[in-house]
Amino acid sequence: MESAGVYWKPVWHVLEKQNQFRLKLVNAQHYHGVDGQKSDQTDASWLAELLQCGLLKGSFVPSQWQQELRDLTRLRVALLQDQNRIQNRIEKLLEDANIKLGSVVSNTLGTSGRKILKAVIAGDKDPGWMADYAQGRLRAKREELTEALFGFVTDHHRTLLDILLRQIESLDRDIASLEADIRRRLAPHQDLVERLAEIPGFGEITAWTVIAELGLDMNVFGTPERAASWSGLCPGNRKSAGKRGHGRTRKGNRWIRRGLTQSALAASHDKDTYLRSFYWRISSKRGPKKALVATAHKQLTIAFFIIRDGVRYNARSGSLRPPSAGAHAALFD
């Protein structure tokens, strides 16, 4: 079966339940037909001929549990992106009303920021009174906050701000519900989540992403190099007639690539860790972008062994501590 978007899934689910077929999902990019002879009929004939000769390589199809976990983690990312877009609209609206809240408050939608925005929606026009909603260290900037809140807010601004703030609060509830569901599904594997979170730059969220995308059975990939290639976190291999072409990474799993590159950037700021020194060593030679991908590749390799062998990672030395001494102790030296 050709993997075209999500259109293969309903047919796959129907055939899978019948237990009468050996199913194989094939990436069409790996088996291009002859140019100029492209049609659905010729593609089907070509795939059938390759299958007959045993030349088709099946793609990784996760279990139902993993597919559902993927849906939850990916939807969470989409909701966060929606939330970020709405926050940008709020910032734009405040600028239109001549309210410079973002120049004083680091997070416009923090506790203090939301109380101030609700005061604006309620019709409060006194900047001094609205500045009193500041909490914590922000109260030390009360005078700056008063000046920033001196704007020209109309009823039109309040209406739009009310709509946008309610959308933010609705997304907050949806994201919290998704995170609770993810924690419930991963409760039997909490020890694995904690061991993955020990990797510098990782956290609970990144551990969720790695488990959802890679799964719990590393035999599917065989080696960490193949897992990195599948994720699009390794250099491209383009060489012909003794000449090496560009080494750009291939297209892979964009969800795990996104999560690991973000965690690699966070790991570059950690102190006294192997991954930090690795990032800056590569960055000094090849630049920060290639260093970011190389560090993400290293993190994926570490996560691969943690999932497969049940080991723990030592952030300072860059080594893995297996249950039996010496198995992978100096793996990343």
Side-chain angles (χ1 to χ4, degrees), residues 206-235:
T206 310
W208 292 349
T209 303
V210 169
I211 295 175
E213 301 302 330
L214 290 183
L216 299 173
D217 183 13
M218 295 298 100
N219 292 325
V220 172
F221 302 101
T223 64
E225 290 78 14
R226 290 184 177 179
S229 176
W230 176 81
S231 303
L233 289 172
C234 66

Side-chain angles (χ1 to χ4, degrees), residues 1-3 24 26 28 31-34 37-53 56:
M1 189 179 300
E2 188 178 44
S3 59
K24 181 175 289 188
V26 177
Y31 308 99
H32 284 300
V34 179
Q37 299 182 15
K38 173 72 172 72
S39 69
D40 291 340
Q41 289 79 9
T42 55
D43 283 350
S45 300
W46 175 239
L47 288 174
E49 184 176 348
L50 292 175
L51 178 63
Q52 208 170 18
C53 299
L56 287 184

Side-chain angles (χ1 to χ4, degrees), residues 95-156:
E95 286 291 331
D96 185 66
N98 198 32
I99 293 180
K100 307 295 183 179
L101 184 62
S103 62
V104 182
V105 182
S106 60
N107 183 11
T108 309
L109 295 179
T111 303
S112 300
R114 294 197 186 200
K115 287 186 176 182
I116 293 172
L117 292 179
K118 289 181 179 179
V120 173
I121 294 171
D124 198 338
K125 298 180 181 180
D126 189 341
W129 282 105
M130 288 190 289
D132 284 337
Y133 288 108
Q135 297 182 357
R137 290 179 295 179
L138 189 61
R139 294 193 66 85
K141 301 180 180 180
R142 190 177 180 280
E143 294 183 2
E144 299 176 27
L145 194 58
T146 302
E147 294 180 2
L149 294 175
F150 187 80
F152 303 95
V153 183
T154 64
D155 291 337
H156 174 68

Side-chain angles (χ1 to χ4, degrees), residues 48-319:
E49 184 176 348
L50 292 175
L51 178 63
Q52 208 170 18
C53 299
L55 297 176
L56 287 184
K57 182 180 179 181
S59 299
F60 170 45
V61 180
S63 63
Q64 183 67 26
W65 175 84
Q66 187 178 345
Q67 290 183 39
E68 293 175 356
L69 186 62
R70 279 184 177 183
D71 291 339
L72 293 175
T73 56
R74 293 177 180 182
L75 179 58
R76 180 186 172 278
V77 172
L79 294 183
L80 286 174
Q81 292 172 343
D82 291 340
Q83 197 175 51
N84 186 58
R85 282 190 285 268
I86 295 174
Q87 183 173 357
N88 290 337
R89 294 191 185 104
I90 291 176
E91 296 282 358
K92 183 180 178 180
L93 183 63
L94 293 177
E95 286 291 331
D96 185 66
N98 198 32
I99 293 180
K100 307 295 183 179
L101 184 62
S103 62
V104 182
V105 182
S106 60
N107 183 11
T108 309
L109 295 179
T111 303
S112 300
R114 294 197 186 200
K115 287 186 176 182
I116 293 172
L117 292 179
K118 289 181 179 179
V120 173
I121 294 171
D124 198 338
K125 298 180 181 180
D126 189 341
W129 282 105
M130 288 190 289
D132 284 337
Y133 288 108
Q135 297 182 357
R137 290 179 295 179
L138 189 61
R139 294 193 66 85
K141 301 180 180 180
R142 190 177 180 280
E143 294 183 2
E144 299 176 27
L145 194 58
T146 302
E147 294 180 2
L149 294 175
F150 187 80
F152 303 95
V153 183
T154 64
D155 291 337
H156 174 68
H157 291 139
R158 294 188 182 94
T159 300
L160 295 180
L161 187 59
D162 183 36
I163 293 173
L164 294 174
L165 194 58
R166 282 190 281 109
Q167 288 181 347
I168 287 287
E169 293 174 346
S170 176
L171 287 172
D172 284 340
R173 291 191 294 270
D174 293 339
I175 292 171
S177 176
L178 283 175
E179 291 178 350
D181 195 2
I182 294 172
R183 288 190 179 95
R184 179 182 59 81
R185 290 171 181 265
L186 288 176
H189 310 286
Q190 185 59 31
D191 177 67
L192 175 59
V193 173
E194 293 175 356
R195 284 187 283 112
L196 286 172
E198 293 175 355
I199 303 174
F202 268 48
E204 185 182 37
I205 305 301
T206 310
W208 292 349
T209 303
V210 169
I211 295 175
E213 301 302 330
L214 290 183
L216 299 173
D217 183 13
M218 295 298 100
N219 292 325
V220 172
F221 302 101
T223 64
E225 290 78 14
R226 290 184 177 179
S229 176
W230 176 81
S231 303
L233 289 172
C234 66
N237 185 16
R238 298 172 179 87
K239 188 175 181 180
S240 179
K243 296 182 179 180
R244 184 174 180 83
H246 64 82
R248 290 194 295 267
T249 57
R250 63 182 293 273
K251 291 183 179 180
N253 186 307
R254 64 187 179 94
W255 301 96
I256 192 170
R257 180 187 174 103
R258 172 188 177 275
L260 288 181
T261 49
Q262 289 180 350
S263 64
L265 183 61
S268 68
H269 299 296
D270 281 348
K271 294 183 179 179
D272 300 328
T273 63
Y274 166 80
L275 288 178
R276 172 186 167 87
S277 61
F278 175 81
Y279 170 86
W280 289 108
R281 185 170 71 248
I282 301 298
S283 179
S284 64
K285 298 177 181 178
R286 303 179 184 176
K289 292 184 178 180
K290 291 185 178 180
L292 204 63
V293 175
T295 306
H297 185 171
K298 190 73 70 175
Q299 288 178 322
L300 180 64
T301 303
I302 297 169
F304 181 93
F305 285 112
I306 289 177
I307 297 173
R308 192 191 69 176
D309 301 337
V311 295
R312 305 191 82 95
Y313 179 68
N314 188 323
R316 291 178 64 90
S317 64
S319 61

